[in-house]
Amino acid sequence: QRDLLLYSKLDYFIATTYTLSFQVVDAKGSIAMTTSFPVNVILTNQPPYDIVINIPQFAEESPVGLLLGSVYSHDRESGDVNNGKSCFAATCPCSIDPSVQSSNFYIGNNNTVYLNNSNLHVGGDPADTQIAIVCRDPQNAVSIARVASVTLFRINHAPTAISPTWFTLTDQTEANITVAPLSATNPNNNKNTDYTILQDSANLFEVDNAAKSLKLKATPPFTGNYSITIRATNDGLAEAGDTNPNPLSYVGIINITITRSPRAPSDLTIDGLSNITLLESASLVGYLRPVDEPIDKNVYTYELLGVPNSGAAFPFYLET
């Protein structure tokens, strides 16, 4: 009695039948008999394997529903033997494995993969860009989940603020001087931002983009509150080495307070008069008033000049 064993594993796709022929020889070397046995190999179902995920890199912050790519698996029993046993959606449908990852992606018809989260960012949580796929064959055998990471590329973001938002100057500030540095808040830390004045009703200002500053073109002819509208446009580079610039802009308002600068009055009067006549009984001569009295009436101080030496009769003095 002899055991008949398998020297290697059977493969249905290599051979479905074998014929085993034997002969029996007795102790004297005589052939007692010959016989043959047919051996049929039965296909044993196995789960799909080698899941292929075809998802090119895509932009961060892409919209929900964006078609990203597709997946398929290999399956010994269902696939095309002459084409690498590829098993596509009609035979081997695939799905997201919810036990492995979150719902940032979903799979639609024909094993197509779509984005389900518009808040994915370069440099974010690595788990957010992982996708876990399982595929089934017609006998409902389930593959082991394949986990892969998709690749995002950074996009340019518009500036979000312009600085300064407010500053002051006087109505005697000289033209052609820098009155404020300009800067913008850029989420991408863009190396260069240019500025353009969109609205300046009195045509007082200009931008020096080389120095990133705001200059005064003309001395303000008025006082009070004033504002200009300015646009900041970044260089469009999402990151170092970006070869496809996409400049984006932010429009902001800069408020300016123009104040009156101190200055001497052009003339002085007493109650608006320059020639005064008084009664002997008078106790008040009058009020001193500058001809061009400023908004702030306390901006001036007064001094009475030509007062005689002590002891001389001089009836006038300034109230303190």
Side-chain angles (χ1 to χ4, degrees), residues 177-282:
I177 69 167
T178 297
V179 291
L182 293 174
S183 63
T185 302
N186 274 295
N188 292 78
N189 296 318
N190 304 73
K191 295 181 178 179
N192 187 52
T193 301
D194 285 336
Y195 303 88
T196 305
I197 294 175
L198 302 180
Q199 184 273 328
D200 176 10
S201 59
N203 197 27
L204 295 179
F205 300 95
E206 63 183 353
V207 167
D208 183 347
N209 271 310
K212 306 303 177 194
S213 62
L214 189 66
K215 296 181 67 176
L216 188 66
K217 288 199 301 183
T219 298
F222 53 84
T223 60
N225 294 322
Y226 186 69
S227 65
I228 62 173
T229 303
I230 192 165
R231 179 177 62 210
T233 304
N234 63 32
D235 58 18
L237 301 178
E239 54 192 350
D242 190 354
T243 58
N244 187 28
N246 177 34
L248 296 173
S249 299
Y250 171 86
V251 175
I253 293 176
I254 299 178
N255 295 298
I256 304 105
T257 300
I258 303 172
T259 61
R260 179 183 174 89
S261 62
R263 67 195 76 180
S266 60
D267 202 354
L268 189 66
T269 68
I270 298 177
D271 286 334
L273 302 174
S274 58
N275 191 351
I276 308 299
T277 301
L278 296 175
L279 295 172
E280 285 182 316
S281 60

Side-chain angles (χ1 to χ4, degrees), residues 61 69 76 104 108 121 130 153 162 212 298:
E61 300 181 16
R76 291 179 71 253
N104 289 338
H121 294 89
Q130 287 186 338
F153 61 85
I162 295 175
K212 306 303 177 194
N298 297 318

Side-chain angles (χ1 to χ4, degrees), residues 303-310 312-318:
E303 180 182 356
L304 183 59
L305 303 177
V307 177
N309 293 331
S310 177
F314 191 79
F316 301 100
Y317 72 97
L318 283 175

Side-chain angles (χ1 to χ4, degrees), residues 57-239:
Q57 68 173 356
F58 60 95
E60 61 180 354
E61 300 181 16
S62 291
V64 170
L66 176 69
L67 174 61
L68 300 178
S70 62
V71 298
Y72 67 91
S73 64
H74 290 163
D75 185 67
R76 291 179 71 253
E77 298 78 47
S78 305
D80 179 358
V81 178
N82 297 320
N83 190 26
K85 302 185 179 68
S86 297
C87 189
F88 296 100
T91 308
C92 297
C94 299
S95 60
I96 298 292
D97 185 353
S99 67
V100 177
Q101 61 125 174
S102 61
S103 57
N104 289 338
F105 309 93
Y106 67 92
I107 294 181
N109 297 329
N110 299 318
N111 284 356
T112 47
V113 182
Y114 298 88
L115 185 62
N116 200 36
N117 185 349
S118 62
N119 291 316
L120 300 184
H121 294 89
V122 174
D125 187 344
D128 288 342
T129 54
Q130 287 186 338
I131 182 169
I133 305 293
V134 294
C135 299
R136 299 176 181 271
D137 68 9
Q139 287 74 40
N140 208 35
V142 182
S143 66
I144 296 175
R146 181 192 168 190
V147 180
S149 294
V150 298
T151 303
L152 304 175
F153 61 85
R154 195 183 303 275
I155 62 172
N156 181 38
H157 296 78
T160 57
I162 295 175
S163 180
T165 58
W166 174 84
F167 65 89
T168 64
L169 52 83
T170 73
D171 62 347
Q172 288 190 333
T173 303
E174 296 182 359
N176 300 317
I177 69 167
T178 297
V179 291
L182 293 174
S183 63
T185 302
N186 274 295
N188 292 78
N189 296 318
N190 304 73
K191 295 181 178 179
N192 187 52
T193 301
D194 285 336
Y195 303 88
T196 305
I197 294 175
L198 302 180
Q199 184 273 328
D200 176 10
S201 59
N203 197 27
L204 295 179
F205 300 95
E206 63 183 353
V207 167
D208 183 347
N209 271 310
K212 306 303 177 194
S213 62
L214 189 66
K215 296 181 67 176
L216 188 66
K217 288 199 301 183
T219 298
F222 53 84
T223 60
N225 294 322
Y226 186 69
S227 65
I228 62 173
T229 303
I230 192 165
R231 179 177 62 210
T233 304
N234 63 32
D235 58 18
L237 301 178
E239 54 192 350

Side-chain angles (χ1 to χ4, degrees), residues 28-40:
K28 297 180 179 182
S30 300
I31 297 175
M33 63 170 294
T34 60
T35 188
S36 296
F37 295 92
V39 177
N40 298 313

